Amino acid sequence: MATIEHSAILKAPPERVFALLERVEDFADYSDLIHAIEPLGEDRYRWHVRAVGRDWHFDVAVTESRAPEVLSWESLDGVENQGCYRLTPVKEGTEVALTLTYVLRNKLVEKAVNKAARPLVGRVSRQILERVEERL
């Protein structure tokens, strides 16, 4: 299992940050790599992403939404993955920490994906948090 982590401090209270993060379908507005997110009902979403020269789509389900502290999800198909945003109040506003874990069954594919995924997820996470902060 591989893990990617990213964190940032946003200059807003956790309640305002969480209110934007829980609107999963809006993530397409926050990153150039996310083309669309379709709500499927029951806290499930189909993501359409363009990355490493390919179009990808995958379904995820929100597994925990505890305002204003935690927003977690897991994949329903495609690459097995789980992610979690944890929001912590700090003097400057809110620290937002992302943890994303994924599992690939093929060691050669895993090595290639690990090399591409870390900078890619870091880029998407930075874009999302920067654009969330702009909206705040």
Side-chain angles (χ1 to χ4, degrees):
M1 180 181 304
T3 300
I4 299 172
E5 296 177 321
H6 178 254
S7 66
I9 294 178
L10 304 184
K11 296 176 183 170
E15 295 79 13
R16 287 189 57 212
V17 176
F18 189 89
L20 289 178
L21 290 177
E22 75 176 339
R23 295 178 52 136
V24 176
E25 61 274 12
D26 289 350
F27 276 44
D29 297 335
Y30 302 153
S31 174
D32 300 335
L33 299 175
I34 304 169
H35 288 276
I37 299 174
E38 297 174 59
L40 302 175
E42 299 180 13
D43 281 336
R44 295 170 183 239
Y45 301 88
R46 178 162 296 137
W47 289 57
H48 298 272
V49 177
R50 174 90 178 151
V52 291
R54 289 188 55 197
D55 290 321
W56 305 80
H57 72 272
F58 49 90
D59 294 353
V60 300
V62 173
T63 56
E64 182 177 10
S65 180
R66 189 168 21 101
E69 301 162 350
V70 177
L71 181 65
S72 301
W73 64 92
E74 68 181 7
S75 62
L76 301 173
D77 63 7
V79 174
E80 182 182 334
N81 71 86
Q82 299 86 36
C84 181
Y85 279 114
R86 294 198 182 279
L87 286 70
T88 306
V90 294
K91 185 173 146 182
E92 302 87 352
T94 303
E95 180 179 17
V96 181
L98 167 68
T99 302
L100 178 68
T101 59
Y102 61 92
V103 177
L104 298 171
R105 304 291 177 213
N106 181 314
K107 291 295 181 191
L108 290 175
V109 171
E110 182 174 3
K111 191 172 185 178
V113 168
N114 285 345
K115 191 172 188 175
R118 288 186 191 283
L120 187 64
V121 170
R123 176 180 162 197
V124 171
S125 181
R126 277 190 305 280
Q127 281 183 346
I128 288 169
L129 294 179
E130 286 169 2
R131 292 177 185 175
V132 164
E133 187 168 41
E134 287 171 11
R135 287 203 175 178
L136 292 168

